[in-house]
Amino acid sequence: MNLFVSVDKIEPWKYILNANIPELKLSKGIIITEKIKENLLKKGIFVIPIIKNSAIEYAVLRNELVEQSYNKVKEFWSSLYEKQKIDKDQFIDVSQDIAESIIDNFDDDVIYIPLKKLQNFDEYTYTHSLNVSIVATLITKAMGFDNFLVKKVSLSALLHDIGKSKIDINLINAPRGLTKEEFEQIKNHVKYGKEICYEQGIDDENIISGILYHHERFDGRGYLSRLKEEEIPIFGRIIAIADVYDALTSKRSYKGCWNNYKAVSHIIQNSTKMFDPDCVSAFVKVFGIYPPGTKVLLSDYRIATVIASKKDNELQPLLQIGNQIVVDLASEKSYILKVL
């Protein structure tokens, strides 16, 4: 049953749109932000159907922090494209805020990961950098690394694609498959990233290793160095998973996006091929087999949406059914029959 509320009374992040609004290109299921509220009111839409966003209670990051971090990352990349200069300290601050929030909340048994949603194709560079940092930081924390290294991974992941600023933006965003020669140019972004970091006074070898080696594969078939297994520095192995997960679940001008469940399944299936199995295990520990956002059919034929994963219990996540009913499968007789 739809709950209709006045747009100006909606608290951002706490509610989810429960209908499509084509004129604003808003899809059912999107979390309502302050910007979405503004756009609705400008368009003369004053009442909308919503459901409560129960996931927010289990977030490892406040949505406000995600939004603030996104705005800073966007400024950073704009400066990099226009002036070939970066505010290193500002970028470090963003990564540390992400890492510290995750460190503070990681001990909770139930977690929700609020990744930044892509609103248009031009945002991909910014949202991707931010999301990869969040996912890589979670993987590192789940692997038991000390907080000093967790913070370094957060920064390395935030910077992992910085070398793409030296490549023609039209090639980066080409709405088609690339030629062999064009792909060779793209591959050089890892090398350019290392060069930019050194130019800007970022010379920590752990941080550089994540930038330089996040496209290596566990089976040795990656680039540029074709390293394999433990030859690949651990930061590269961790960021590789975060990079692929966000890329698969993001819509681009030349491809659609996968749902979260399909992307997680792909990463599990490629353990020992593309990815370090220990890193994959840590990834599954925080995302679960059924990551947040996955729609499922239960054995009693109720339809539900996964809202949070449970550490060390990958098969029994928290679900939301209808407007506000939250179900913990660990205390239910029902189970997930299939993914919808």
Side-chain angles (χ1 to χ4, degrees), residues 202-247:
I202 301 170
D203 56 5
D204 183 285
E205 289 305 318
N206 282 318
I207 293 170
I208 298 297
S209 71
I211 296 164
L212 190 56
Y213 299 118
H214 68 274
H215 281 292
E216 303 293 340
R217 285 179 43 147
F218 203 67
D219 60 8
R221 299 175 63 188
Y223 65 82
L224 290 169
S225 301
R226 298 184 74 84
L227 302 179
K228 65 179 180 179
E229 299 180 2
E230 281 74 24
E231 293 174 353
I232 308 167
I234 187 61
F235 278 33
R237 284 179 266 156
I238 290 169
I239 295 172
I241 294 176
D243 180 47
V244 169
Y245 178 77
D246 187 64

Side-chain angles (χ1 to χ4, degrees), residues 174-211:
R176 55 174 173 76
L178 300 177
T179 66
K180 184 177 179 180
E181 291 75 19
E182 288 172 334
F183 185 54
E184 288 300 317
Q185 291 183 53
I186 295 289
K187 285 160 64 171
N188 282 324
H189 77 275
V190 298
K191 180 177 65 176
Y192 297 152
K194 175 183 175 180
E195 293 170 359
I196 292 170
C197 284
Y198 280 137
E199 289 167 4
Q200 302 297 329
I202 301 170
D203 56 5
D204 183 285
E205 289 305 318
N206 282 318
I207 293 170
I208 298 297
S209 71
I211 296 164

Side-chain angles (χ1 to χ4, degrees), residues 302-337:
R302 289 179 294 173
I303 294 174
T305 301
V306 177
I307 61 168
S309 57
K310 299 177 69 179
K311 287 188 298 186
D312 300 317
N313 188 352
E314 294 86 358
L315 296 174
Q316 294 179 309
L318 248 61
L319 308 173
Q320 181 167 331
I321 300 174
N323 187 23
Q324 297 184 16
I325 302 171
V326 176
V327 172
D328 183 348
L329 277 187
S331 59
E332 288 264 321
K333 292 182 179 179
S334 57
Y335 55 88
I336 294 174
L337 191 62

Side-chain angles (χ1 to χ4, degrees), residues 12-14 56 61-70:
W13 313 111
K14 293 189 178 181
I56 200 168
L61 293 163
R62 291 180 296 104
N63 279 289
E64 293 85 353
L65 175 59
V66 173
E67 199 66 23
Q68 291 165 10
S69 299
Y70 167 76

